[in-house]
Amino acid sequence: MNPSRHEIGIVGGGLAGASAALAFARAGFDTVHVAAPASADGRSTALIGPSVRFLERLDVLAALDGRAQPMFAMRIVDDTGRLLRAATVEFRAAEIDLPYFGLNVLNRDLLDVVRAEGDRLPGRLRRIEETVAAVELDADHATLVTDAGRTVACRLLIGSDGRRSVVREAMGAPARSWSYPQVALVLNFEHQREHEGVSTEFHTASGPFTQVPLPGRRSSLVWVETPEEAARLKDLPLDRLSDEVERRMHSILGSVSVEAPVQSFPLSGASVMRLAGQRCALVGEAAHVFPPIGAQGLNLGLRDAEALLACAEAHRDDPGGAAMLADFEARRRADVATRTAAVDLLNRSLLTGFLPVQALRAVGLGALAALPVLRHALMREGVEPGSAVAGMMARARALLPGQRASG
């Protein structure tokens, strides 16, 4: 069977892959998206900063039609019960002149909209709902074969096929993985009181317990626990689990009613030594795996897709060529590395009983509560990665001899 030929091929049916397929097709690239139908996903994602703007340019946000909840404030509460406890810190988007930090949306709603927008581009986006069985890479093309025997060739192959990526395996890219002694329960719930667009993260001795607002009197919850406690909680009837959620939240939203299903995920992380190879690049969980902490996973994957598209547009004469892929690697490496280290450090700092680490954490959160300048810098870095470093560099340049006079 002769292969179908395209400029861009994307493997993986999750949100990062579907968004990348829509973005490349919207930009005028002949795109094929190869993925088995995605399984139902009851989780939500807090879209932050660049992710919001990226999806806005793709007309995805307008199509969500009230299914996304703005997050106006985020609160961190030390609920570890340890000797050295940190001050409660509240971040408000209005402090840095933003209407909101981001939007929380159910993954299934977001995927439905992304795919519907792609359906509007039948001449530029082709979908093949089959599983990729093999990938071959050479200097001119990447070729993939599906489990149904279909062959597809493309100039740039994008692997967005998860932590067991077939594309990454074909690249021969070494991956370093690790696990945590924790399991995340993920669920949605209704509650008695208005959340007012506030997300509250309770830091506990077993990990974060994070409520994120959804439209109406509903919220999503990521609850990190020991494997034994997570198993016990997941087996509870929904009414008893609802009581546990209300108790752990100190009833700040009143009585709650947990919705089925309750999902659980062992916490792990992974990083890949290279993000690009011969005629291919990795985005999303094919490139980096995060525990569900700090809203980094999909946001980082969408930044991968946006950067890869920018590089392809800058090298339209040869998308997938060595120069384009080197540009992508350079653009994404620092962001991925720093976010990986930050999430890992936050999670491990909660697990340790070592007093000096507890003291450092308490002092750090206390400084954020007391010093608006520091708090504002962290907020800007959260919604605009790299902005804190850029701001420090700008202030440093302003202090150099001759700079103030020339301004």
Side-chain angles (χ1 to χ4, degrees), residues 214-260:
L214 287 168
R217 290 185 179 179
R218 296 178 71 224
S219 290
S220 57
L221 179 69
V222 178
W223 184 353
V224 177
E225 271 293 351
T226 64
E228 297 78 16
E229 179 66 359
R232 183 190 74 82
L233 292 165
K234 192 176 180 184
D235 286 342
L236 290 177
L238 289 182
D239 58 344
R240 289 184 57 195
L241 183 59
S242 298
D243 292 341
E244 287 275 4
V245 171
E246 181 184 351
R247 182 177 66 83
R248 303 284 181 111
M249 291 191 65
H250 303 279
S251 298
I252 62 172
L253 294 176
S255 61
V256 309
S257 178
V258 171
E259 304 168 1

mmCIF file of all heavy atoms in Angstrom, residues 214-260:
data_model
loop_
_atom_site.group_PDB
_atom_site.id
_atom_site.type_symbol
_atom_site.label_atom_id
_atom_site.label_comp_id
_atom_site.label_asym_id
_atom_site.label_seq_id
_atom_site.Cartn_x
_atom_site.Cartn_y
_atom_site.Cartn_z
ATOM 1 N N LEU A 214 -15.088 25.104 39.270
ATOM 2 C CA LEU A 214 -15.740 24.851 37.986
ATOM 3 C C LEU A 214 -16.966 25.755 37.890
ATOM 4 O O LEU A 214 -17.385 26.356 38.886
ATOM 5 C CB LEU A 214 -16.159 23.378 37.890
ATOM 6 C CG LEU A 214 -15.055 22.348 37.678
ATOM 7 C CD1 LEU A 214 -15.590 20.930 37.903
ATOM 8 C CD2 LEU A 214 -14.439 22.473 36.283
ATOM 9 N N PRO A 215 -17.569 25.884 36.716
ATOM 10 C CA PRO A 215 -18.778 26.714 36.611
ATOM 11 C C PRO A 215 -19.872 26.252 37.573
ATOM 12 O O PRO A 215 -20.057 25.055 37.815
ATOM 13 C CB PRO A 215 -19.202 26.532 35.154
ATOM 14 C CG PRO A 215 -17.921 26.244 34.429
ATOM 15 C CD PRO A 215 -17.121 25.406 35.390
ATOM 16 N N GLY A 216 -20.609 27.216 38.123
ATOM 17 C CA GLY A 216 -21.659 26.924 39.083
ATOM 18 C C GLY A 216 -21.083 26.613 40.446
ATOM 19 O O GLY A 216 -19.952 26.975 40.763
ATOM 20 N N ARG A 217 -21.859 25.930 41.247
ATOM 21 C CA ARG A 217 -21.374 25.528 42.566
ATOM 22 C C ARG A 217 -20.746 24.134 42.465
ATOM 23 O O ARG A 217 -21.190 23.173 43.094
ATOM 24 C CB ARG A 217 -22.517 25.541 43.575
ATOM 25 C CG ARG A 217 -23.002 26.937 43.910
ATOM 26 C CD ARG A 217 -24.046 26.925 45.007
ATOM 27 N NE ARG A 217 -24.476 28.289 45.310
ATOM 28 C CZ ARG A 217 -25.397 28.590 46.215
ATOM 29 N NH1 ARG A 217 -25.994 27.623 46.910
ATOM 30 N NH2 ARG A 217 -25.753 29.844 46.435
ATOM 31 N N ARG A 218 -19.724 24.066 41.666
ATOM 32 C CA ARG A 218 -18.992 22.817 41.463
ATOM 33 C C ARG A 218 -17.500 23.124 41.487
ATOM 34 O O ARG A 218 -17.071 24.229 41.134
ATOM 35 C CB ARG A 218 -19.344 22.142 40.131
ATOM 36 C CG ARG A 218 -20.777 21.680 40.019
ATOM 37 C CD ARG A 218 -21.031 21.081 38.644
ATOM 38 N NE ARG A 218 -20.376 19.797 38.481
ATOM 39 C CZ ARG A 218 -19.695 19.424 37.396
ATOM 40 N NH1 ARG A 218 -19.529 20.265 36.388
ATOM 41 N NH2 ARG A 218 -19.156 18.229 37.312
ATOM 42 N N SER A 219 -16.711 22.132 41.875
ATOM 43 C CA SER A 219 -15.253 22.256 41.862
ATOM 44 C C SER A 219 -14.657 20.905 41.498
ATOM 45 O O SER A 219 -15.303 19.852 41.626
ATOM 46 C CB SER A 219 -14.719 22.687 43.242
ATOM 47 O OG SER A 219 -15.061 24.023 43.541
ATOM 48 N N SER A 220 -13.428 20.938 41.048
ATOM 49 C CA SER A 220 -12.644 19.716 40.870
ATOM 50 C C SER A 220 -11.656 19.621 42.026
ATOM 51 O O SER A 220 -11.342 20.617 42.687
ATOM 52 C CB SER A 220 -11.905 19.731 39.532
ATOM 53 O OG SER A 220 -11.073 20.870 39.419
ATOM 54 N N LEU A 221 -11.191 18.411 42.279
ATOM 55 C CA LEU A 221 -10.300 18.178 43.412
ATOM 56 C C LEU A 221 -9.197 17.221 43.008
ATOM 57 O O LEU A 221 -9.459 16.183 42.385
ATOM 58 C CB LEU A 221 -11.092 17.583 44.589
ATOM 59 C CG LEU A 221 -10.284 17.250 45.858
ATOM 60 C CD1 LEU A 221 -9.797 18.529 46.531
ATOM 61 C CD2 LEU A 221 -11.132 16.432 46.835
ATOM 62 N N VAL A 222 -7.958 17.584 43.339
ATOM 63 C CA VAL A 222 -6.817 16.662 43.253
ATOM 64 C C VAL A 222 -6.335 16.446 44.677
ATOM 65 O O VAL A 222 -5.875 17.378 45.338
ATOM 66 C CB VAL A 222 -5.689 17.230 42.366
ATOM 67 C CG1 VAL A 222 -4.504 16.258 42.353
ATOM 68 C CG2 VAL A 222 -6.186 17.469 40.948
ATOM 69 N N TRP A 223 -6.434 15.212 45.145
ATOM 70 C CA TRP A 223 -6.198 14.870 46.544
ATOM 71 C C TRP A 223 -5.064 13.851 46.588
ATOM 72 O O TRP A 223 -5.241 12.704 46.189
ATOM 73 C CB TRP A 223 -7.482 14.299 47.115
ATOM 74 C CG TRP A 223 -7.495 13.962 48.562
ATOM 75 C CD1 TRP A 223 -6.459 13.969 49.446
ATOM 76 C CD2 TRP A 223 -8.652 13.551 49.306
ATOM 77 N NE1 TRP A 223 -6.879 13.586 50.689
ATOM 78 C CE2 TRP A 223 -8.229 13.330 50.633
ATOM 79 C CE3 TRP A 223 -9.991 13.345 48.981
ATOM 80 C CZ2 TRP A 223 -9.108 12.901 51.628
ATOM 81 C CZ3 TRP A 223 -10.859 12.934 49.964
ATOM 82 C CH2 TRP A 223 -10.428 12.710 51.276
ATOM 83 N N VAL A 224 -3.899 14.282 47.059
ATOM 84 C CA VAL A 224 -2.716 13.418 47.086
ATOM 85 C C VAL A 224 -2.602 12.772 48.458
ATOM 86 O O VAL A 224 -2.570 13.455 49.485
ATOM 87 C CB VAL A 224 -1.449 14.220 46.739
ATOM 88 C CG1 VAL A 224 -0.206 13.339 46.840
ATOM 89 C CG2 VAL A 224 -1.566 14.803 45.319
ATOM 90 N N GLU A 225 -2.503 11.439 48.449
ATOM 91 C CA GLU A 225 -2.458 10.675 49.694
ATOM 92 C C GLU A 225 -1.460 9.526 49.580
ATOM 93 O O GLU A 225 -0.915 9.251 48.506
ATOM 94 C CB GLU A 225 -3.850 10.097 50.016
ATOM 95 C CG GLU A 225 -4.741 11.006 50.846
ATOM 96 C CD GLU A 225 -4.204 11.209 52.261
ATOM 97 O OE1 GLU A 225 -3.238 10.511 52.647
ATOM 98 O OE2 GLU A 225 -4.766 12.055 52.977
ATOM 99 N N THR A 226 -1.228 8.853 50.708
ATOM 100 C CA THR A 226 -0.452 7.619 50.666
ATOM 101 C C THR A 226 -1.254 6.576 49.894
ATOM 102 O O THR A 226 -2.499 6.651 49.823
ATOM 103 C CB THR A 226 -0.188 7.092 52.081
ATOM 104 O OG1 THR A 226 -1.451 6.754 52.694
ATOM 105 C CG2 THR A 226 0.537 8.130 52.933
ATOM 106 N N PRO A 227 -0.601 5.594 49.293
ATOM 107 C CA PRO A 227 -1.347 4.569 48.540
ATOM 108 C C PRO A 227 -2.407 3.865 49.381
ATOM 109 O O PRO A 227 -3.520 3.610 48.893
ATOM 110 C CB PRO A 227 -0.254 3.604 48.090
ATOM 111 C CG PRO A 227 0.977 4.443 48.008
ATOM 112 C CD PRO A 227 0.862 5.418 49.136
ATOM 113 N N GLU A 228 -2.099 3.588 50.638
ATOM 114 C CA GLU A 228 -3.055 2.877 51.495
ATOM 115 C C GLU A 228 -4.287 3.744 51.776
ATOM 116 O O GLU A 228 -5.429 3.272 51.697
ATOM 117 C CB GLU A 228 -2.390 2.485 52.813
ATOM 118 C CG GLU A 228 -1.232 1.509 52.681
ATOM 119 C CD GLU A 228 0.060 2.176 52.208
ATOM 120 O OE1 GLU A 228 0.153 3.429 52.274
ATOM 121 O OE2 GLU A 228 0.969 1.430 51.767
ATOM 122 N N GLU A 229 -4.057 5.014 52.114
ATOM 123 C CA GLU A 229 -5.174 5.900 52.408
ATOM 124 C C GLU A 229 -5.991 6.190 51.156
ATOM 125 O O GLU A 229 -7.230 6.260 51.206
ATOM 126 C CB GLU A 229 -4.667 7.205 53.025
ATOM 127 C CG GLU A 229 -5.743 8.229 53.361
ATOM 128 C CD GLU A 229 -6.695 7.794 54.471
ATOM 129 O OE1 GLU A 229 -6.556 6.656 55.001
ATOM 130 O OE2 GLU A 229 -7.594 8.586 54.810
ATOM 131 N N ALA A 230 -5.316 6.328 50.013
ATOM 132 C CA ALA A 230 -6.035 6.570 48.763
ATOM 133 C C ALA A 230 -6.941 5.387 48.426
ATOM 134 O O ALA A 230 -8.090 5.576 47.979
ATOM 135 C CB ALA A 230 -5.048 6.821 47.625
ATOM 136 N N ALA A 231 -6.452 4.168 48.637
ATOM 137 C CA ALA A 231 -7.270 2.983 48.373
ATOM 138 C C ALA A 231 -8.484 2.944 49.294
ATOM 139 O O ALA A 231 -9.605 2.610 48.871
ATOM 140 C CB ALA A 231 -6.423 1.724 48.540
ATOM 141 N N ARG A 232 -8.266 3.287 50.575
ATOM 142 C CA ARG A 232 -9.390 3.301 51.521
ATOM 143 C C ARG A 232 -10.440 4.321 51.112
ATOM 144 O O ARG A 232 -11.649 4.042 51.105
ATOM 145 C CB ARG A 232 -8.880 3.627 52.931
ATOM 146 C CG ARG A 232 -9.974 3.601 53.999
ATOM 147 C CD ARG A 232 -9.485 4.161 55.319
ATOM 148 N NE ARG A 232 -9.348 5.614 55.317
ATOM 149 C CZ ARG A 232 -10.363 6.462 55.504
ATOM 150 N NH1 ARG A 232 -11.593 6.010 55.684
ATOM 151 N NH2 ARG A 232 -10.142 7.771 55.495
ATOM 152 N N LEU A 233 -9.985 5.517 50.761
ATOM 153 C CA LEU A 233 -10.916 6.581 50.398
ATOM 154 C C LEU A 233 -11.690 6.244 49.130
ATOM 155 O O LEU A 233 -12.898 6.492 49.039
ATOM 156 C CB LEU A 233 -10.148 7.890 50.213
ATOM 157 C CG LEU A 233 -9.548 8.499 51.478
ATOM 158 C CD1 LEU A 233 -8.512 9.559 51.128
ATOM 159 C CD2 LEU A 233 -10.646 9.099 52.370
ATOM 160 N N LYS A 234 -11.001 5.670 48.158
ATOM 161 C CA LYS A 234 -11.667 5.364 46.889
ATOM 162 C C LYS A 234 -12.754 4.314 47.069
ATOM 163 O O LYS A 234 -13.746 4.290 46.325
ATOM 164 C CB LYS A 234 -10.643 4.905 45.855
ATOM 165 C CG LYS A 234 -11.203 4.836 44.443
ATOM 166 C CD LYS A 234 -10.149 4.470 43.431
ATOM 167 C CE LYS A 234 -10.759 4.424 42.030
ATOM 168 N NZ LYS A 234 -9.760 3.981 41.026
ATOM 169 N N ASP A 235 -12.592 3.439 48.046
ATOM 170 C CA ASP A 235 -13.577 2.383 48.287
ATOM 171 C C ASP A 235 -14.781 2.857 49.101
ATOM 172 O O ASP A 235 -15.751 2.119 49.263
ATOM 173 C CB ASP A 235 -12.918 1.211 49.024
ATOM 174 C CG ASP A 235 -12.019 0.389 48.106
ATOM 175 O OD1 ASP A 235 -12.169 0.511 46.871
ATOM 176 O OD2 ASP A 235 -11.158 -0.350 48.616
ATOM 177 N N LEU A 236 -14.742 4.081 49.619
ATOM 178 C CA LEU A 236 -15.851 4.574 50.429
ATOM 179 C C LEU A 236 -17.087 4.834 49.562
ATOM 180 O O LEU A 236 -16.974 5.240 48.398
ATOM 181 C CB LEU A 236 -15.468 5.887 51.127
ATOM 182 C CG LEU A 236 -14.444 5.831 52.263
ATOM 183 C CD1 LEU A 236 -14.151 7.244 52.752
ATOM 184 C CD2 LEU A 236 -14.954 4.963 53.419
ATOM 185 N N PRO A 237 -18.272 4.645 50.117
ATOM 186 C CA PRO A 237 -19.486 5.122 49.417
ATOM 187 C C PRO A 237 -19.391 6.635 49.202
ATOM 188 O O PRO A 237 -18.747 7.352 49.976
ATOM 189 C CB PRO A 237 -20.621 4.766 50.392
ATOM 190 C CG PRO A 237 -20.050 3.723 51.292
ATOM 191 C CD PRO A 237 -18.579 4.005 51.403
ATOM 192 N N LEU A 238 -20.049 7.126 48.151
ATOM 193 C CA LEU A 238 -19.913 8.538 47.801
ATOM 194 C C LEU A 238 -20.349 9.475 48.922
ATOM 195 O O LEU A 238 -19.761 10.548 49.099
ATOM 196 C CB LEU A 238 -20.700 8.844 46.524
ATOM 197 C CG LEU A 238 -20.130 8.267 45.226
ATOM 198 C CD1 LEU A 238 -20.985 8.703 44.044
ATOM 199 C CD2 LEU A 238 -18.683 8.695 45.019
ATOM 200 N N ASP A 239 -21.365 9.091 49.705
ATOM 201 C CA ASP A 239 -21.802 9.992 50.773
ATOM 202 C C ASP A 239 -20.755 10.113 51.871
ATOM 203 O O ASP A 239 -20.511 11.204 52.405
ATOM 204 C CB ASP A 239 -23.147 9.546 51.348
ATOM 205 C CG ASP A 239 -23.120 8.125 51.904
ATOM 206 O OD1 ASP A 239 -22.179 7.365 51.586
ATOM 207 O OD2 ASP A 239 -24.047 7.772 52.670
ATOM 208 N N ARG A 240 -20.079 8.998 52.185
ATOM 209 C CA ARG A 240 -19.031 9.061 53.203
ATOM 210 C C ARG A 240 -17.793 9.783 52.672
ATOM 211 O O ARG A 240 -17.124 10.522 53.409
ATOM 212 C CB ARG A 240 -18.677 7.664 53.677
ATOM 213 C CG ARG A 240 -19.766 7.018 54.537
ATOM 214 C CD ARG A 240 -19.331 5.689 55.068
ATOM 215 N NE ARG A 240 -18.092 5.793 55.839
ATOM 216 C CZ ARG A 240 -17.350 4.733 56.175
ATOM 217 N NH1 ARG A 240 -17.704 3.506 55.797
ATOM 218 N NH2 ARG A 240 -16.243 4.895 56.887
ATOM 219 N N LEU A 241 -17.489 9.580 51.390
ATOM 220 C CA LEU A 241 -16.363 10.302 50.793
ATOM 221 C C LEU A 241 -16.651 11.802 50.775
ATOM 222 O O LEU A 241 -15.756 12.623 51.009
ATOM 223 C CB LEU A 241 -16.091 9.781 49.384
ATOM 224 C CG LEU A 241 -14.891 10.395 48.658
ATOM 225 C CD1 LEU A 241 -13.597 10.184 49.426
ATOM 226 C CD2 LEU A 241 -14.773 9.816 47.239
ATOM 227 N N SER A 242 -17.891 12.166 50.513
ATOM 228 C CA SER A 242 -18.279 13.580 50.542
ATOM 229 C C SER A 242 -18.017 14.188 51.914
ATOM 230 O O SER A 242 -17.520 15.316 52.026
ATOM 231 C CB SER A 242 -19.760 13.726 50.182
ATOM 232 O OG SER A 242 -20.015 13.251 48.871
ATOM 233 N N ASP A 243 -18.345 13.440 52.969
ATOM 234 C CA ASP A 243 -18.078 13.922 54.327
ATOM 235 C C ASP A 243 -16.589 14.124 54.559
ATOM 236 O O ASP A 243 -16.164 15.094 55.201
ATOM 237 C CB ASP A 243 -18.632 12.936 55.361
ATOM 238 C CG ASP A 243 -20.150 12.873 55.376
ATOM 239 O OD1 ASP A 243 -20.781 13.824 54.864
ATOM 240 O OD2 ASP A 243 -20.703 11.870 55.871
ATOM 241 N N GLU A 244 -15.778 13.200 54.033
ATOM 242 C CA GLU A 244 -14.319 13.312 54.179
ATOM 243 C C GLU A 244 -13.801 14.552 53.455
ATOM 244 O O GLU A 244 -12.950 15.278 53.975
ATOM 245 C CB GLU A 244 -13.637 12.062 53.632
ATOM 246 C CG GLU A 244 -13.791 10.826 54.492
ATOM 247 C CD GLU A 244 -12.732 10.770 55.590
ATOM 248 O OE1 GLU A 244 -11.934 11.720 55.720
ATOM 249 O OE2 GLU A 244 -12.706 9.763 56.311
ATOM 250 N N VAL A 245 -14.314 14.807 52.251
ATOM 251 C CA VAL A 245 -13.869 15.986 51.499
ATOM 252 C C VAL A 245 -14.230 17.258 52.251
ATOM 253 O O VAL A 245 -13.400 18.170 52.394
ATOM 254 C CB VAL A 245 -14.483 15.983 50.078
ATOM 255 C CG1 VAL A 245 -14.205 17.316 49.377
ATOM 256 C CG2 VAL A 245 -13.943 14.825 49.253
ATOM 257 N N GLU A 246 -15.451 17.335 52.754
ATOM 258 C CA GLU A 246 -15.854 18.526 53.503
ATOM 259 C C GLU A 246 -14.965 18.734 54.727
ATOM 260 O O GLU A 246 -14.534 19.859 55.022
ATOM 261 C CB GLU A 246 -17.311 18.412 53.945
ATOM 262 C CG GLU A 246 -17.778 19.649 54.716
ATOM 263 C CD GLU A 246 -19.190 19.526 55.254
ATOM 264 O OE1 GLU A 246 -19.889 18.568 54.895
ATOM 265 O OE2 GLU A 246 -19.580 20.408 56.043
ATOM 266 N N ARG A 247 -14.673 17.633 55.431
ATOM 267 C CA ARG A 247 -13.837 17.744 56.639
ATOM 268 C C ARG A 247 -12.437 18.218 56.279
ATOM 269 O O ARG A 247 -11.889 19.113 56.932
ATOM 270 C CB ARG A 247 -13.772 16.391 57.346
ATOM 271 C CG ARG A 247 -12.970 16.418 58.647
ATOM 272 C CD ARG A 247 -13.010 15.066 59.338
ATOM 273 N NE ARG A 247 -12.325 14.044 58.579
ATOM 274 C CZ ARG A 247 -10.996 13.848 58.612
ATOM 275 N NH1 ARG A 247 -10.221 14.654 59.339
ATOM 276 N NH2 ARG A 247 -10.441 12.886 57.906
ATOM 277 N N ARG A 248 -11.848 17.637 55.227
ATOM 278 C CA ARG A 248 -10.479 18.021 54.851
ATOM 279 C C ARG A 248 -10.429 19.470 54.367
ATOM 280 O O ARG A 248 -9.384 20.106 54.441
ATOM 281 C CB ARG A 248 -9.949 17.094 53.757
ATOM 282 C CG ARG A 248 -9.957 15.609 54.106
ATOM 283 C CD ARG A 248 -8.863 15.199 55.048
ATOM 284 N NE ARG A 248 -8.914 13.779 55.329
ATOM 285 C CZ ARG A 248 -8.005 12.888 54.917
ATOM 286 N NH1 ARG A 248 -6.954 13.294 54.220
ATOM 287 N NH2 ARG A 248 -8.138 11.619 55.224
ATOM 288 N N MET A 249 -11.555 19.979 53.848
ATOM 289 C CA MET A 249 -11.612 21.369 53.384
ATOM 290 C C MET A 249 -12.028 22.322 54.505
ATOM 291 O O MET A 249 -12.196 23.521 54.256
ATOM 292 C CB MET A 249 -12.597 21.506 52.219
ATOM 293 C CG MET A 249 -12.141 20.829 50.946
ATOM 294 S SD MET A 249 -13.176 21.287 49.556
ATOM 295 C CE MET A 249 -12.799 23.023 49.441
ATOM 296 N N HIS A 250 -12.194 21.795 55.708
ATOM 297 C CA HIS A 250 -12.612 22.614 56.848
ATOM 298 C C HIS A 250 -13.919 23.353 56.563
ATOM 299 O O HIS A 250 -14.126 24.481 57.025
ATOM 300 C CB HIS A 250 -11.505 23.597 57.237
ATOM 301 C CG HIS A 250 -10.205 22.922 57.560
ATOM 302 N ND1 HIS A 250 -9.940 22.339 58.786
ATOM 303 C CD2 HIS A 250 -9.094 22.701 56.794
ATOM 304 C CE1 HIS A 250 -8.722 21.805 58.764
ATOM 305 N NE2 HIS A 250 -8.189 22.011 57.575
ATOM 306 N N SER A 251 -14.768 22.727 55.737
ATOM 307 C CA SER A 251 -16.125 23.231 55.428
ATOM 308 C C SER A 251 -16.133 24.630 54.822
ATOM 309 O O SER A 251 -17.132 25.349 54.935
ATOM 310 C CB SER A 251 -17.005 23.209 56.685
ATOM 311 O OG SER A 251 -17.156 21.892 57.165
ATOM 312 N N ILE A 252 -15.051 25.030 54.141
ATOM 313 C CA ILE A 252 -15.024 26.392 53.578
ATOM 314 C C ILE A 252 -16.067 26.571 52.482
ATOM 315 O O ILE A 252 -16.471 27.705 52.193
ATOM 316 C CB ILE A 252 -13.622 26.780 53.057
ATOM 317 C CG1 ILE A 252 -13.189 25.864 51.921
ATOM 318 C CG2 ILE A 252 -12.600 26.795 54.181
ATOM 319 C CD1 ILE A 252 -11.909 26.311 51.236
ATOM 320 N N LEU A 253 -16.491 25.461 51.850
ATOM 321 C CA LEU A 253 -17.537 25.540 50.829
ATOM 322 C C LEU A 253 -18.839 24.900 51.311
ATOM 323 O O LEU A 253 -19.730 24.600 50.508
ATOM 324 C CB LEU A 253 -17.069 24.877 49.533
ATOM 325 C CG LEU A 253 -15.900 25.558 48.819
ATOM 326 C CD1 LEU A 253 -15.460 24.760 47.609
ATOM 327 C CD2 LEU A 253 -16.268 26.985 48.421
ATOM 328 N N GLY A 254 -18.951 24.677 52.605
ATOM 329 C CA GLY A 254 -20.143 24.057 53.154
ATOM 330 C C GLY A 254 -20.185 22.571 52.845
ATOM 331 O O GLY A 254 -19.157 21.935 52.581
ATOM 332 N N SER A 255 -21.384 22.009 52.863
ATOM 333 C CA SER A 255 -21.520 20.583 52.578
ATOM 334 C C SER A 255 -21.210 20.312 51.109
ATOM 335 O O SER A 255 -21.425 21.160 50.241
ATOM 336 C CB SER A 255 -22.934 20.112 52.913
ATOM 337 O OG SER A 255 -23.886 20.804 52.122
ATOM 338 N N VAL A 256 -20.687 19.119 50.824
ATOM 339 C CA VAL A 256 -20.287 18.767 49.458
ATOM 340 C C VAL A 256 -20.927 17.446 49.064
ATOM 341 O O VAL A 256 -21.307 16.630 49.910
ATOM 342 C CB VAL A 256 -18.749 18.687 49.309
ATOM 343 C CG1 VAL A 256 -18.078 19.928 49.841
ATOM 344 C CG2 VAL A 256 -18.203 17.443 49.984
ATOM 345 N N SER A 257 -21.027 17.236 47.754
ATOM 346 C CA SER A 257 -21.551 15.990 47.197
ATOM 347 C C SER A 257 -20.631 15.539 46.071
ATOM 348 O O SER A 257 -20.585 16.157 45.000
ATOM 349 C CB SER A 257 -22.976 16.204 46.669
ATOM 350 O OG SER A 257 -23.480 15.017 46.087
ATOM 351 N N VAL A 258 -19.865 14.493 46.318
ATOM 352 C CA VAL A 258 -18.897 13.992 45.342
ATOM 353 C C VAL A 258 -19.620 13.293 44.204
ATOM 354 O O VAL A 258 -20.569 12.531 44.412
ATOM 355 C CB VAL A 258 -17.903 13.031 46.025
ATOM 356 C CG1 VAL A 258 -17.024 12.328 44.991
ATOM 357 C CG2 VAL A 258 -17.043 13.786 47.031
ATOM 358 N N GLU A 259 -19.163 13.554 42.985
ATOM 359 C CA GLU A 259 -19.735 12.937 41.796
ATOM 360 C C GLU A 259 -18.897 11.737 41.361
ATOM 361 O O GLU A 259 -17.670 11.749 41.498
ATOM 362 C CB GLU A 259 -19.776 13.952 40.647
ATOM 363 C CG GLU A 259 -20.521 15.239 40.976
ATOM 364 C CD GLU A 259 -20.302 16.324 39.936
ATOM 365 O OE1 GLU A 259 -19.574 16.056 38.944
ATOM 366 O OE2 GLU A 259 -20.839 17.429 40.101
ATOM 367 N N ALA A 260 -19.545 10.714 40.835
ATOM 368 C CA ALA A 260 -18.822 9.607 40.223
ATOM 369 C C ALA A 260 -18.394 10.026 38.813
ATOM 370 O O ALA A 260 -19.057 10.849 38.180
ATOM 371 C CB ALA A 260 -19.716 8.378 40.173
#
